[in-house]
Amino acid sequence: MKKTLMILFLLALVAPAVNAQKLELTTADKEEFKHRAVRMIELFTESLTVIPSFNPSTDERILRDKAIRNVLRLFTKDATMQLAYANGSFSNPIPMPSYLNSLTNYEARRELVHIDIIEFTVEEVEPHPTELGKYIVRFEFVQRFSKKKDYIPNPIQNEKFEQIAWDYVDITTKGGVGIIEKITTQSGTKWVMLLDDVEAKDIEVIED
């Protein structure tokens, strides 16, 4: 399988068309942030596919670290990820940096892992339920996790993911929110959006 070496170049997370002096977002502003939420989920989707492909024991560690830093720019500082296990239980919230770092080093264990988002939805922007002056946009995605043990890459044969006979496959539904708020920086006041905690909702084991 040809390894994809890719760094995620993120779009600016600030919507320049939104007037920071506004006390409330207009319908057009909300639609703009909904579109941004879609793009942010797409970027996160790409990261889950790419990050496990890096081998941190080689020079790829620099690329991996840069990819992880870029992904963290999508999230609030304290954002967490929750995992679902094959027995139906759920993990405690894991800090997002720890979660992303856990997605690497599979090659050293002779394992192949592929993570992809097979579908996602983003709802309409609405006022924050408890914090005045903020907004939220809810999202939900379906994640597929596939793992192959005792895997040795074949440098000659360009094997595709769909050709792999996976040892384990599960599909997990997860959901979270994007937080929209005003922040003040040296360049002025801006409306920004960052993704927050991601919670696991259910899991279905397809192959074990």
Side-chain angles (χ1 to χ4, degrees):
M1 177 176 297
K2 184 178 180 180
K3 182 177 295 184
T4 302
L5 300 181
M6 181 177 112
I7 295 297
L8 304 176
F9 294 97
L10 306 182
L11 299 176
L13 303 184
V14 177
V18 178
N19 186 342
Q21 303 305 317
K22 295 178 181 178
L23 297 179
E24 297 181 351
L25 296 179
T26 66
T27 300
D29 297 335
K30 293 176 182 179
E31 193 65 22
E32 168 70 20
F33 276 113
K34 181 180 179 180
H35 289 318
R36 285 179 175 271
V38 170
R39 184 55 183 146
M40 291 167 79
I41 296 298
E42 288 174 343
L43 287 168
F44 183 54
T45 299
E46 294 170 13
S47 77
L48 293 180
T49 301
V50 171
I51 291 176
S53 72
F54 293 120
N55 184 350
S57 62
T58 68
D59 291 342
E60 293 177 15
R61 181 183 184 90
I62 297 174
L63 299 176
R64 180 209 64 172
D65 291 348
K66 186 171 183 179
I68 289 176
R69 287 196 302 270
N70 281 340
V71 175
L72 290 176
R73 291 174 55 198
L74 296 170
F75 289 89
T76 62
K77 181 180 178 181
D78 298 322
T80 61
M81 173 67 73
Q82 186 178 44
L83 305 181
Y85 300 120
N87 63 7
S89 63
F90 300 98
S91 72
N92 291 325
I94 303 169
M96 196 61 66
S98 299
Y99 168 71
L100 294 173
N101 276 287
S102 74
L103 299 180
T104 62
N105 207 34
Y106 288 109
E107 189 171 293
R109 299 196 298 266
R110 296 180 67 177
E111 294 179 339
L112 176 68
V113 164
H114 182 60
I115 303 172
D116 61 330
I117 306 298
I118 54 180
E119 64 179 83
F120 71 87
T121 57
V122 175
E123 297 183 8
E124 300 298 326
V125 174
E126 60 184 82
H128 196 291
T130 60
E131 298 185 45
L132 187 65
K134 294 184 180 181
Y135 293 83
I136 63 170
V137 54
R138 303 179 191 276
F139 61 86
E140 184 174 284
F141 60 85
V142 180
Q143 172 185 301
R144 177 170 50 202
F145 177 89
S146 308
K147 183 165 70 173
K148 175 72 174 177
K149 299 179 181 178
D150 299 322
Y151 179 78
I152 301 176
N154 188 331
I156 300 176
Q157 182 180 2
N158 186 17
E159 194 171 21
K160 300 183 182 300
F161 283 119
E162 56 267 24
Q163 297 173 322
I164 302 292
W166 300 103
D167 296 315
Y168 175 85
V169 180
D170 70 41
I171 293 179
T172 306
T173 301
K174 296 184 177 183
V177 297
I179 307 294
I180 304 167
E181 63 178 329
K182 285 184 182 181
I183 65 168
T184 300
T185 66
Q186 292 181 344
S187 58
T189 302
K190 305 172 183 178
W191 283 99
V192 299
M193 177 173 63
L194 293 173
L195 305 179
D196 202 22
D197 299 339
V198 178
E199 298 180 350
K201 296 186 174 183
D202 61 56
I203 184 172
E204 179 183 4
V205 177
I206 307 299
E207 187 75 37
D208 190 2

